């Protein structure tokens, strides 16, 4: 024996801090700029969480006041995949993949600390509406210094088309190229990757 002993600590302190949450995915970020890691939790059919690190092992949920707990109509969504990046202006951006008929959430943080869902303005809402997005990632696909966005999609119900004509079980990934002020879709339903203009 090497003299090393491990003890499993599950984080429980005798009471539950997040009872019955259905957190599908998390992203680490520095929401408040204090250099302590904060945590965004995408929840399925429950309000999302934005857990701000208070130091010393404590967290405080600020999702409601920050504008990321619900969609713009006050409803919960089926947050599945989540990604985080810094926009060109240094703002934190959170992308959250949702269930079909729930567009991608594309939360951009303003200096006040409030996030605004900019998916419709950026051209991300319409193309993502039929998709059930389980995972997503920011990457610089075209090597232009701006993070692009790729979504991994697929429905959970093989016979979904029988009740929702516009939604399919097999769904292609979606790739969005980040252009100033908007996103351009490079992979679409039924089409392969479009070549980049030269």
């Amino acid at each position: 024996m090497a003299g090393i002993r491990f003890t499993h600590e599950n984080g429980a302190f005798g009471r539950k801090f997040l009872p019955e949450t259905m957190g599908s995915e998390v992203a680490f970020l520095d929401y408040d700029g204090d250099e302590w890691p904060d945590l965004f939790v995408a929840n399925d059919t429950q309000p999302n969480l934005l857990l701000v690190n208070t130091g010393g092992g404590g967290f405080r949920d600020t999702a409601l006041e920050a504008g990321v707990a619900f969609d713009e109509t006050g409803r919960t969504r089926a947050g599945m995949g989540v990604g985080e990046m810094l926009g060109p202006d240094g703002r934190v951006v959170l992308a959250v993949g949702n269930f079909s008929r729930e567009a991608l959430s594309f939360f951009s943080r303003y200096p006040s600390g409030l996030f605004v869902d900019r998916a419709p303005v950026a051209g991300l809402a319409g193309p993502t509406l039929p998709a059930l997005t389980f995972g997503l990632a920011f990457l610089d696909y075209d090597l232009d210094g701006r993070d692009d966005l790729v979504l991994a999609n697929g429905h959970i119900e093989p016979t979904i088309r029988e009740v929702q004509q516009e939604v399919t079980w097999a769904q292609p990934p979606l790739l969005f190229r980040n252009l100033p002020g908007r996103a351009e879709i490079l992979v679409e339903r039924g089409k392969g990757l479009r070549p980049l203009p030269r």
Side-chain angles (χ1 to χ4, degrees), residues 35-186:
E35 299 184 5
W36 285 92
D38 304 314
L39 190 64
F40 175 81
V41 181
N43 274 321
D44 184 2
T45 67
Q46 297 177 356
N48 295 322
L49 304 172
L50 178 57
L51 303 172
V52 174
N53 193 328
T54 59
F59 288 87
R60 181 175 58 89
D61 183 14
T62 62
L64 187 61
E65 63 197 67
V68 294
F70 301 96
D71 72 6
E72 66 280 356
T73 65
R75 293 179 305 164
T76 59
R77 289 187 177 174
M80 302 288 185
V82 64
E84 176 264 333
M85 73 165 194
L86 286 179
D89 55 3
R91 291 182 188 172
V92 172
V93 174
L94 289 167
V96 182
N98 295 302
F99 209 80
S100 57
R101 293 188 170 178
E102 296 176 343
L104 176 84
S105 302
F106 197 71
F107 296 114
S108 181
R109 183 181 182 273
Y110 284 78
S112 66
L114 181 68
F115 282 90
V116 174
D117 188 353
R118 299 194 40 81
V121 174
L124 295 167
T128 62
L129 205 51
L132 195 167
T133 301
F134 277 99
L136 56 88
F138 287 101
L139 71 157
D140 188 3
Y141 163 76
D142 53 3
L143 303 177
D144 66 354
R146 292 188 297 265
D147 283 332
D148 307 305
L149 181 62
V150 64
L151 312 178
N153 309 305
H155 209 281
I156 59 172
E157 179 55 54
T159 59
I160 187 63
R161 198 157 208 167
E162 294 175 13
V163 291
Q164 296 178 8
Q165 300 287 314
E166 76 285 3
V167 179
T168 59
W169 179 61
Q171 298 177 354
L174 296 173
L175 175 62
F176 294 93
R177 183 176 176 209
N178 184 352
L179 298 173
R182 66 182 177 88
E184 174 189 39
I185 189 165
L186 294 176

Side-chain angles (χ1 to χ4, degrees), residues 16-31:
K16 296 200 182 291
F17 291 100
L18 304 174
E20 299 181 17
T21 52
M22 296 178 61
S24 301
E25 198 159 337
V26 299
F28 286 96
L29 65 151
D30 186 7
Y31 166 71

